[in-house]
Amino acid sequence: MAERVLDLTLCDARQGDLELRPFKLILEAGEVATVGVALVRAGIATGPDDPVLARKGCFGVFGKRKDWDSRIYAGDRLELYSPLLIDPKTVRRKKAHQNQDAKFQAAAAKRKARRL
C-alpha cells in the first residue's frame, strides 16, 4: 500500500486572530482527498454533522466556500471562517433607506426654498 501525503495550510479565523499552520494530510491508497477528510484528520471535526461546523459557509479553500465532500489538492489553503457579526442584507437595506431619506430631505428643502 502506497500512502500519499498532501501538504496543506490550515487557516483558522474562528477565534478572531488568524492562525496559519502547515498540515500534512496522509491518505491511504485509493482514498480521495476531500475537505471533510482533512478536517477530520486535523482534529477539527468528527464528521459532516459536527455541531462545530454545522453552520453553512464556515469553511472553504482559498476564499471560496466548499462543501464537505469537495476535493482538495496539494498546496491548498483550507480556511475556517468565523460567523458573520452583521447580516450584509440588513446593512445594504439600511444604507439604501438612508440614501432615500436624504433624497426626500433634499427635495423638501428645494420646495421650501422656492416658497420663500
Side-chain angles (χ1 to χ4, degrees):
M1 276 190 206
E3 292 181 341
R4 288 186 313 151
V5 178
L6 294 180
D7 290 321
L8 303 172
T9 303
L10 285 177
C11 177
D12 193 351
R14 294 176 296 169
Q15 304 303 328
D17 292 336
L18 188 66
E19 178 188 336
L20 286 171
R21 64 182 165 122
F23 176 68
K24 291 191 181 289
L25 177 62
I26 300 170
L27 299 168
E28 302 294 326
E31 190 175 19
V32 178
T34 63
V35 171
V37 170
L39 291 173
V40 169
R41 300 266 171 87
I44 296 169
T46 57
D49 298 328
D50 192 338
V52 173
L53 301 173
R55 148 181 83 73
K56 183 179 178 182
C58 63
F59 51 85
V61 176
F62 288 120
K64 301 285 185 183
R65 192 184 77 74
K66 297 292 181 181
D67 293 324
W68 183 263
D69 56 350
S70 297
R71 296 205 46 166
I72 55 175
Y73 304 95
D76 280 355
R77 183 179 66 227
L78 182 57
E79 302 168 343
L80 301 166
Y81 307 124
S82 61
L84 292 175
L85 300 176
I86 301 171
D87 182 22
K89 277 185 167 179
T90 306
V91 172
R92 281 190 213 113
R93 189 175 298 121
K94 187 175 180 180
K95 188 175 181 181
H97 287 303
Q98 285 176 347
N99 290 342
Q100 193 68 24
D101 289 343
K103 286 180 187 177
F104 289 145
Q105 288 174 357
K110 278 185 182 179
R111 284 192 302 271
K112 186 175 182 180
R114 278 188 262 167
R115 287 187 211 154
L116 298 176

